[in-house]
Amino acid sequence: MGEKECEKVFAVASKRITPSVEEARSEKKFAAWASKILAGRLPKDAEVHFVGSAARDTGISGDKDIDLFISYSKSRSRDEIVELTKRA
């Protein structure tokens, strides 16, 4: 298969797996809502971060995967972080 054929295959595949604008917007809206709810249940020194493929617009259409990362102050112990996260 030549370079031009490979480019055509890639273009077709990319179009099929790339989320639509509406799908990407919906995922971001849900992530913002979930982040806000989660942040309200966490201590003031915790921060919620929307990360991963949905945040970077590199996801796959139909893949409902939202990655939220919580960071805490370095002064908190591992056990304390685990317990705070479970309660949130």
Side-chain angles (χ1 to χ4, degrees):
M1 185 180 291
E3 186 176 332
K4 287 203 184 264
E5 290 84 11
C6 286
E7 287 177 15
K8 286 179 184 178
V9 169
F10 177 74
V12 170
S14 178
K15 196 171 205 171
R16 287 186 183 175
I17 66 170
T18 301
S20 68
V21 171
E22 182 54 38
E23 185 178 5
R25 186 179 300 131
S26 177
E27 287 178 346
K28 284 179 174 45
K29 184 177 178 182
F30 176 79
W33 173 81
S35 294
K36 184 177 179 180
I37 297 296
L38 189 55
R41 302 175 123 218
L42 292 167
K44 298 289 183 215
D45 69 328
E47 290 184 42
V48 180
H49 308 273
F50 176 37
V51 299
S53 58
R56 294 187 315 269
D57 289 325
T58 58
I60 296 175
S61 182
D63 182 24
K64 303 297 182 204
D65 180 23
I66 303 293
D67 300 306
L68 299 177
F69 178 84
I70 303 169
S71 60
Y72 291 90
S73 167
K74 289 182 179 184
S75 64
R76 295 213 183 251
S77 72
R78 179 185 173 104
D79 290 340
E80 188 177 18
I81 289 170
V82 169
E83 190 54 39
L84 288 168
T85 304
K86 281 183 184 179
R87 280 192 269 158

